[in-house]
Amino acid sequence: MSNPFVHLELSTPDAAKAKAFYSELFGWTFTDNEMGPGMVYSTFKPDSGPGGGLFSSPGMPTHWLAYVGVEDIKAATEKAVSLGATVQMGPHEVPNIGWITVLIDPTGAPLPLF
């Protein structure tokens, strides 16, 4: 597959509870990254497969996003838009993590790029 899923991300209202759950369930360890006032992005990397991160997002529905890897985030975003996607967020840099865009595909599904 030329563009595999490369990063998984959990948005949750309770990051501490989520980290405890996934640590106990899968043995994942987390590294906390300060992202600005009051924002911590916790990354994980299992022994195999893609890693990811989680963050606390009070008031938002809890959900996982699966990011597809691309070589050029700006070019991939532009191509997706030309094919009918809409940009929900980005492209922008997540410090110490990488560049992301979150698109909505023509059918309404989220399509995050990394």
Side-chain angles (χ1 to χ4, degrees):
M1 182 168 30
S2 61
N3 292 94
F5 290 102
V6 296
H7 186 81
L8 305 169
E9 183 174 77
L10 175 62
S11 171
T12 175
D14 191 336
K17 188 174 185 178
K19 287 192 291 187
F21 174 79
Y22 289 103
S23 292
E24 285 294 317
L25 181 63
F26 299 128
W28 293 352
T29 58
F30 293 88
T31 302
D32 291 341
N33 303 279
E34 295 292 330
M35 304 303 286
M39 174 66 173
V40 175
Y41 191 78
S42 301
T43 57
F44 63 90
K45 177 66 176 123
D47 291 338
S48 65
L54 65 82
F55 63 98
S56 182
S57 186
M60 295 292 292
T62 300
H63 64 278
W64 279 98
L65 283 177
Y67 286 76
V68 176
V70 297
E71 288 294 318
D72 182 326
I73 194 78
K74 291 178 184 175
T77 300
E78 290 171 6
K79 183 175 182 180
V81 168
S82 78
L83 296 170
T86 56
V87 176
Q88 188 175 39
M89 178 179 62
H92 77 274
E93 185 175 17
V94 179
N96 304 313
I97 307 297
W99 282 81
I100 67 167
T101 294
V102 178
L103 303 162
I104 302 298
D105 80 9
T107 71
L111 174 60
L113 304 179
F114 189 87

